[in-house]
Amino acid sequence: MRWGWFLLLLGPSVLTLLLLVAIWGLSLGQLEQERQLALGAARQQNETLAHIVAANLEQVLTRPHLYADRAAELLDQGPGAGVALRAALAGDGAYLRLAVLNGAGRVQFASSPLAQGLAHQELPPAGSDLGLGQPSGRGEEAWLLPLALALRSPAGREGQLVMLLDLGYFLRLYQGAGLGARHIGIFRQGGTRLVEADDLSISLGGPAAGETEAQLRVSKSLARFPLVVEISQSQASVLQGLAPSRQRHLLWAWGLTLLLLAAGTALTLLARRQRALYRRVLCSETEKESLIQQLETEKGQAYQLASHDHLTGLPNRMLFSELSASHLSGSRRGRHLHALVFLDLDHFKAVNDQLGHRIGDQLLQTVAQRLRAVLRDSDLVSRQGGDEFVLLINELASAEDAARVAAKIIQAVGAPCQLEGHELVVRPSLGLALAPRDGQDLNTLMAHADAAMYAAKSAGRGTFRFFDGALNGIPVRQDELARDLEPALEAGGLQLHYQLQHSLDDLQPMGLEALVRWPHPGHGLIYPKDILPLARELGLLPRLDRWVLAEVCRLLGQWRAEGRHLLPIAINLAPETLADPAFPAAVQEQLARQGLSAALLGLEIPADWLPGADPGALERLQALAHLGVSLRVDGFGRSQTGFQQLRALPLKWLKVEPSCIGEGEGGKGAGGTAGFIITLAHVQGFRVLVTGVETPEQLVQLKASGADGAQGYHLQRPLPAGEVVALLERRLGVHGRD
Amino acid sequence: MGRICCLLLAFLLLGGCASVGAQCENPARLRFSLVPQGDAGRDLSAYRPLVAAIEARLGKPVELLQPQSYGSVVEGLAASTIDFAVLGPASYLKARGANPEVQVFASYAKRAGPFQEQGPYYRALLVVPAASRHRSLESLQGGTLALTDPGSTSGAVLPRRVFPALTGRSLDGFFGRIVYVGDHDRAGLAVAAGKVDAAFLSGFHLSELVRQGRIEADSVRVLWRSEPIPQDAIVYRGRLCAPIREGIRAVFLARDGQAFPGLLEQQGSLAFVPMEDGAYRILRELQ
């Protein structure tokens, strides 16, 4: 294109130039040809003229020879004999006077009295050839040219004939002869000018008139006399006749030149204008495109802003609605299922409250990343606000697949994460609604999934539920765990971790709580909140509790055997265990087997079991208390259990969670409430152990409110037995074994 | 070739019958010529009625000789090959000097013109083209000067004589180039056309050019003018027999010199007037 424009711009100029060169070349060529023709013609004319003038001059100069015979006779005769000579001279326009001089130089004959003077004036040397003198150039005889010719009379006398040639004769001859601008010069052979004549005048001798122009010269030598006739003419005068033709030619050439220049300029301007227009159009196109681009970018950004959650970058509710609508419309046609999943983080609020919104935000981002990572690209993930996420899992073959994905999500999201030095474990609760069986439009599905999510929450959190209750039996992970739990229990696949319980008086360890852990080969470490419901479902709780009892006693026995400092270890008892009439005996047996003091064993009873406990159970508790085992109520405040019921029991310790004594709300009011519960507990004769202490602030507040003991991640996370031994060695080593 | 034949014929005719006359000459035919002023042929034709009157009166043929120059007329008179003629004043003096029998008997009374006063006198003028830059003699130095004929009184003889007195230098030394144009008409035309820087010529002839409409009076500028000079001399040879001289004189001066109005008109004259040699004394004194 660039070259195209270049040619378009240059083309007219080059074309114009070529045409101009052609026009001027032809014009000037023709003019030059005409000029040469004219000069040639003039040269030829001048040559002819030179021939004529030379012939005429020769004729005039031959005349003295005609006079000579008669003049020679006069040398032998008297003066009277010259009458005929005089008469002949009178009719001769060229010669003015003549004299015949004898050998002594005296005048033998004079054509007139004036001719007498010829004897006295300077004369050219006379010979057989005519001697040519020089015009005087002065006075009345200025243009008279003396000529001399030697004479020999028939009698042998010598003398000379002297004649004066009237150059006025030449003037008359050439004046008005149409010489035009020509000059006729008569020169001696040596180059001296004798006379010059033109159409107007003659001039004598001397230098020629100043010639400033180029001259056209033609010369012709006389055959018999030493004279040269030269015709000169200025070239300008020759070419003058060509002027009109030349002017006409030049006029045409200039006319064409101007026309061509105008046309060339017009074309060039047109091309330039076209190019300018083209460029402008191009420019505006580019501008337009860039504007469109900008608009699109801005639109994209605006859309991104409007459609995405700024914190996690996930689609928001609006975009999710749009996107899911098209997927869901596909679900009506296809055979596949779509699962709409409502996901809510359990206790997220506590994270925000306790660790700050920054950590909370980071947690949400982590959750978003994990969700995105665990799902396929074709699945949709959105954040609806707060800690609520809605997912649409597409193209599922069956409800089992949906359950498997849900389990995967729970596992992925529930994995511990490190945020600014905090290890957080947040478990999600999921509610699933399947399209098209649970509904075909988004609103319906959302409502159903939401309901399912609440079901999951009330089922103990950290799990998922289908809207359709019939499907809830199929969770795969649960299946696998259920399948594996009993064998694990049998094969010793479970472990116990121990968490220290501190006295708030001196922050010294005052006991341990045994917590069951299940390192599942397929699902990682399983915690009590998963194990216990499963064990309950499977009816394994009594066996589990007995295993725990045995394990704790074995450990205590081992420690005692190793001579270590012994701390009481508490175990949690399920209501089913407490319902077993043989349990107190089993405790006694285990203690006895290891030779342990009953005081080293703590039994924690769930608070929500107490109201419905049968009288037999209470008796069994009494029996256990009687053994000397330390009984405690776990989860006080979470159930309907009041102090009145507790007073009937042989209890010393109440275990409460910070949220249950209001501490979790934070602030002074909360501290006040906590203080109130603790004070009530103390009044009733109970000691209070607060579990789940995760921040130093909580600890300070609990201590200020008079709690007796504390347990929690902040103080020490649960550790395997070996590590706890090492820890206790360090913590208690200073104080010795007392 | 024809010219040469004529010459030879003249030898044959004249050679035998030429004789030296006694006291007065009575030639069988008279020969008349005049100095060239403009178109010599036209001038001669204008004289034809007058010449015819002379032929009638004298019963002799009169031959009109076409002159080549002033000198040829002077030479003819000096050699007695011309019997009566019209001469310029200087030519008259020259001819009379060579041949004392030459006698002036009449002249013209010229009519007045832009450069001419009425009467038998005229002036020599130095004129330049009106458009030229020359306003004084001095600025003309080195220029081209046109003279008429070396024998012309106002067109060459008088200027050569008075110029040294005017400028302190000779004419030839003062001007860069001198050309001869042959007669007054050409001199006037050449100046008016700017072909030469300046020209000496007769005021009478310049006036005639204006009268004839050949130039405009304001096309030339006069830088110098001479004292009045007597008009052309009409002469005859004194050796001619008295009846012949009387006859010629009578025809010229008949009817108070106004017998040939056509000729006079052509000559720019009012009349032929009697003239004597004494009138040319002023020129003679200059020589």
Side-chain angles (χ1 to χ4, degrees):
Chain A
M1 203 60 205
R2 194 183 174 83
W3 277 105
W5 280 119
F6 185 70
L7 285 177
L8 203 58
L9 283 176
L10 202 65
S13 306
V14 171
L15 196 66
T16 306
L17 199 68
L18 287 176
L19 285 171
L20 285 180
V21 167
I23 287 169
W24 281 99
L26 285 172
S27 298
L28 294 178
Q30 183 152 4
L31 288 176
E32 179 59 21
Q33 199 179 356
E34 283 184 4
R35 182 173 174 274
Q36 291 302 334
L37 277 174
L39 288 176
R43 186 172 291 112
Q44 202 152 12
Q45 283 175 4
N46 290 351
E47 274 171 9
T48 308
L49 184 62
H51 271 284
I52 292 171
V53 171
N56 182 256
L57 188 58
E58 203 136 17
Q59 208 177 45
V60 169
L61 292 176
T62 306
R63 264 180 239 168
H65 291 277
L66 298 176
Y67 287 95
D69 288 347
R70 188 57 65 103
E73 289 170 9
L74 285 177
L75 289 174
D76 296 337
Q77 300 167 3
V83 177
L85 207 55
R86 187 177 292 131
L89 187 66
D92 191 335
Y95 290 95
L96 205 57
R97 56 184 86 135
L98 69 79
V100 178
L101 306 183
N102 61 21
R106 292 175 193 277
V107 176
Q108 186 80 12
F109 169 76
S111 63
S112 75
L114 292 167
Q116 294 286 348
L118 285 175
H120 310 295
Q121 77 181 68
E122 196 179 330
L123 294 172
S128 58
D129 287 331
L130 194 65
L132 296 172
Q134 182 71 28
S136 74
R138 288 188 300 278
E140 295 167 50
E141 301 192 343
W143 62 19
L144 299 182
L145 174 68
L147 309 173
L149 190 64
L151 298 175
R152 178 177 285 274
S153 74
R157 289 192 175 85
E158 299 216 332
Q160 58 175 310
L161 172 66
V162 180
M163 298 183 77
L164 284 182
L165 177 64
D166 187 352
L167 292 176
Y169 163 77
F170 286 106
L171 182 61
R172 295 286 165 212
L173 199 58
Y174 300 130
Q175 255 179 358
L179 288 181
R182 296 180 186 85
H183 292 260
I184 299 170
I186 300 171
F187 294 82
R188 294 180 190 281
Q189 285 289 14
T192 322
R193 193 177 71 159
L194 211 55
V195 63
E196 186 187 80
D198 58 27
D199 202 32
L200 174 69
S201 63
I202 63 170
S203 58
L204 304 168
E211 290 162 353
T212 52
E213 307 166 89
Q215 297 286 316
L216 201 64
R217 293 178 196 279
V218 168
S219 54
K220 166 79 179 158
S221 295
L222 268 59
R224 295 181 54 188
F225 303 96
L227 291 176
V228 178
V229 171
E230 184 188 85
I231 310 293
S232 65
Q233 185 178 12
S234 75
Q235 287 195 3
S237 70
V238 175
L239 302 176
Q240 207 170 8
L242 294 179
S245 151
R246 186 183 170 80
Q247 265 174 356
R248 214 166 40 245
H249 268 104
L250 291 179
L251 206 67
W252 268 105
W254 277 117
L256 282 173
T257 301
L258 289 178
L259 207 67
L260 278 172
L261 284 178
T265 309
L267 281 175
T268 307
L269 285 178
L270 205 65
R272 284 176 74 97
R273 215 179 116 181
Q274 288 297 329
R275 184 177 65 163
L277 282 175
Y278 174 78
R279 280 186 174 166
R280 225 176 296 163
V281 168
L282 208 62
C283 209
S284 84
E285 281 291 322
T286 314
E287 204 174 337
K288 207 162 72 186
E289 271 175 26
S290 99
L291 275 175
I292 289 172
Q293 196 78 38
Q294 194 180 339
L295 279 174
E296 279 179 355
T297 310
E298 283 173 2
K299 186 183 162 197
Q301 283 170 350
Y303 184 74
Q304 180 81 15
L305 282 175
S307 62
H308 285 76
D309 169 45
H310 73 279
L311 180 63
T312 59
L314 295 175
N316 61 11
R317 185 197 303 270
M318 185 195 83
L319 179 60
F320 181 80
S321 300
E322 278 178 27
L323 295 174
S324 58
S326 66
H327 286 284
L328 290 174
S329 69
S331 78
R332 284 171 225 155
R333 296 189 299 272
R335 290 179 300 143
H336 292 292
L337 295 174
H338 297 261
L340 189 84
V341 181
F342 234 97
L343 184 151
D344 187 281
L345 297 177
D346 298 338
H347 306 304
F348 174 74
K349 192 167 179 300
V351 175
N352 253 355
D353 291 344
Q354 293 166 15
L355 301 180
H357 285 275
R358 201 152 60 89
I359 300 286
D361 287 348
Q362 289 179 12
L363 179 63
L364 290 172
Q365 287 170 343
T366 306
V367 168
Q369 286 163 9
R370 289 178 174 179
L371 286 173
R372 203 56 270 179
V374 84
L375 293 175
R376 298 166 300 177
D377 286 344
S378 58
D379 299 330
L380 299 179
V381 181
S382 71
R383 178 169 173 245
Q384 301 283 310
D387 57 342
E388 280 185 357
F389 295 83
V390 175
L391 325 174
L392 183 68
I393 302 161
N394 296 307
E395 306 293 317
L396 291 167
S398 63
E400 285 78 8
D401 279 357
R404 199 170 292 121
V405 174
K408 220 158 79 177
I409 290 170
I410 289 171
Q411 191 188 345
V413 173
C417 62
Q418 293 286 339
L419 294 174
E420 298 191 355
H422 301 280
E423 186 184 74
L424 293 184
V425 177
V426 181
R427 301 186 62 81
S429 294
L430 275 65
L432 282 73
L434 297 177
R437 57 188 293 172
D438 295 338
Q440 296 189 352
D441 62 291
L442 186 64
N443 288 336
T444 310
L445 290 168
M446 290 273 274
H448 291 169
D450 195 24
M453 195 264 292
Y454 277 101
K457 284 227 183 239
S458 55
R461 303 175 185 261
T463 185
F464 67 89
R465 283 292 179 271
F466 283 100
F467 171 68
D468 184 350
L471 296 173
N472 282 332
I474 61 158
V476 171
R477 177 170 173 273
Q478 295 300 96
D479 276 0
E480 288 176 1
L481 292 181
R483 184 191 65 203
D484 297 340
L485 182 58
E486 191 171 6
L489 189 59
E490 292 291 330
L494 301 183
Q495 297 175 349
L496 288 178
H497 284 193
Y498 299 91
Q499 188 172 37
L500 284 172
Q501 297 171 332
H502 291 83
S503 160
L504 280 175
D505 291 338
D506 53 5
L507 282 180
Q508 284 297 310
M510 60 175 195
L512 296 162
E513 182 182 5
L515 296 165
V516 66
R517 294 287 189 271
W518 179 18
H520 188 276
H523 298 286
L525 197 62
I526 312 293
Y527 291 83
K529 68 162 64 169
D530 283 336
I531 300 170
L532 298 181
L534 194 60
R536 174 168 291 125
E537 274 181 34
L538 297 172
L540 293 174
L541 275 176
R543 284 174 63 186
L544 180 64
D545 284 353
R546 285 184 180 228
W547 175 80
V548 173
L549 172 67
E551 186 63 21
V552 166
C553 289
R554 188 193 60 76
L555 184 68
L556 284 169
Q558 183 189 331
W559 282 354
R560 199 184 59 171
E562 290 169 0
R564 299 181 191 280
H565 180 82
L566 298 177
L567 283 176
I569 298 179
I571 62 175
N572 293 279
L573 295 181
E576 291 87 341
T577 305
L578 290 169
D580 181 4
F583 184 70
V587 172
Q588 191 175 14
E589 185 199 332
Q590 287 293 341
L591 289 170
R593 181 184 295 177
Q594 299 295 342
L596 296 172
S597 159
L600 287 173
L601 188 65
L603 298 176
E604 297 188 359
I605 300 152
D608 51 1
W609 168 77
L610 285 172
D614 59 324
L618 290 174
E619 280 177 22
R620 283 187 287 280
L621 285 180
Q622 292 291 352
L624 287 170
H626 193 68
L627 285 176
V629 173
S630 168
L631 292 179
R632 304 153 187 198
V633 168
D634 190 9
F636 180 77
R638 202 166 43 185
S639 68
Q640 303 299 316
T641 311
F643 284 108
Q644 196 146 16
Q645 290 168 307
L646 296 180
R647 255 181 301 183
L649 294 175
L651 296 174
K652 281 187 181 162
W653 287 86
L654 300 180
K655 283 184 77 175
V656 296
E657 293 172 5
S659 63
C660 295
I661 55 171
E663 205 284 327
E665 305 294 335
K668 288 179 181 173
T673 311
F676 178 65
I677 290 178
I678 291 166
T679 304
L680 276 181
H682 284 168
V683 168
Q684 302 292 330
F686 298 111
R687 303 188 74 186
V688 177
L689 174 73
V690 182
T691 62
V693 177
E694 293 176 343
T695 64
E697 289 81 11
Q698 287 176 327
L699 194 63
V700 170
Q701 279 182 357
L702 290 173
K703 200 167 155 86
S705 59
D708 303 288
Q711 173 186 353
Y713 271 73
H714 171 66
L715 293 164
Q716 189 249 313
R717 64 184 177 90
L719 295 169
E723 292 179 37
V724 170
V725 168
L727 181 68
L728 288 174
E729 287 292 316
R730 285 201 302 277
R731 297 282 293 275
L732 300 173
V734 179
H735 301 282
R737 306 170 179 220
D738 52 347
Chain B
M1 207 56 202
R3 195 178 287 268
I4 295 168
C5 291
C6 287
L7 275 169
L8 290 174
L9 193 64
F11 274 112
L12 295 174
L13 283 174
L14 297 170
C17 63
S19 63
V20 179
Q23 282 303 306
C24 89
E25 292 178 17
N26 187 13
R29 57 196 301 146
L30 293 171
R31 280 163 297 187
F32 171 70
S33 189
L34 43 76
V35 291
Q37 304 286 0
D39 184 344
R42 196 189 60 195
D43 287 349
L44 277 178
S45 304
Y47 273 96
R48 236 168 246 292
L50 184 141
V51 168
I54 292 172
E55 284 177 330
R57 182 176 179 109
L58 299 179
K60 292 175 187 289
V62 175
E63 188 182 350
L64 298 171
L65 293 180
Q66 176 103 21
Q68 296 300 334
S69 64
Y70 279 47
S72 62
V73 183
V74 172
E75 204 67 25
L77 284 169
S80 304
T81 54
I82 292 173
D83 298 307
F84 67 104
V86 181
L87 286 171
S91 299
Y92 162 67
L93 292 178
K94 174 96 174 166
R96 186 173 169 83
N99 186 359
E101 66 165 323
V102 172
Q103 293 175 5
V104 61
F105 65 91
S107 184
Y108 303 105
K110 299 294 189 185
R111 67 178 158 222
F115 305 98
Q116 170 68 35
E117 298 132 60
Q118 184 175 323
Y121 293 91
Y122 74 105
R123 292 170 193 267
L125 306 178
L126 175 63
V127 294
V128 295
S132 88
R133 63 187 170 85
H134 302 296
R135 304 219 167 246
S136 70
L137 261 178
E138 286 71 28
S139 72
L140 280 169
Q141 186 167 348
T144 298
L145 174 71
L147 296 178
T148 51
D149 183 296
S152 163
T153 311
S154 55
V157 177
L158 187 67
R160 282 188 186 285
R161 288 189 186 148
V162 302
F163 204 77
L166 292 175
T167 65
R169 298 177 66 178
S170 75
L171 207 59
D172 299 285
F174 184 83
F175 286 97
R177 184 163 179 256
I178 292 176
V179 300
Y180 293 96
V181 296
D183 56 64
H184 294 277
D185 284 3
R186 288 178 200 278
L189 292 171
V191 168
K195 290 180 180 176
V196 292
D197 295 325
F200 277 108
L201 78 166
S202 128
F204 163 68
H205 286 102
L206 195 57
S207 292
E208 282 302 286
L209 286 176
V210 174
R211 184 176 68 86
Q212 291 159 16
R214 296 166 75 186
I215 65 168
E216 296 294 326
D218 56 5
S219 64
V220 296
R221 185 161 57 242
V222 177
L223 292 189
W224 173 83
R225 63 185 76 221
S226 73
E227 292 300 309
I229 304 166
Q231 268 293 340
D232 289 351
I234 303 170
V235 302
Y236 44 52
R237 289 198 291 118
R239 289 232 190 115
L240 293 174
C241 292
I244 297 175
R245 283 187 274 131
E246 191 49 41
I248 294 171
R249 180 185 159 86
V251 170
F252 269 99
L253 296 176
R255 294 190 204 167
D256 292 332
Q258 298 175 18
F260 304 99
L263 170 62
L264 289 169
E265 172 66 24
Q266 193 267 340
Q267 290 291 316
S269 302
L270 300 171
F272 290 110
V273 293
M275 183 60 77
E276 289 180 353
D277 181 60
Y280 297 93
R281 191 185 305 132
I282 178 172
L283 281 175
R284 194 173 280 122
E285 285 166 358
L286 275 174
Q287 287 182 332

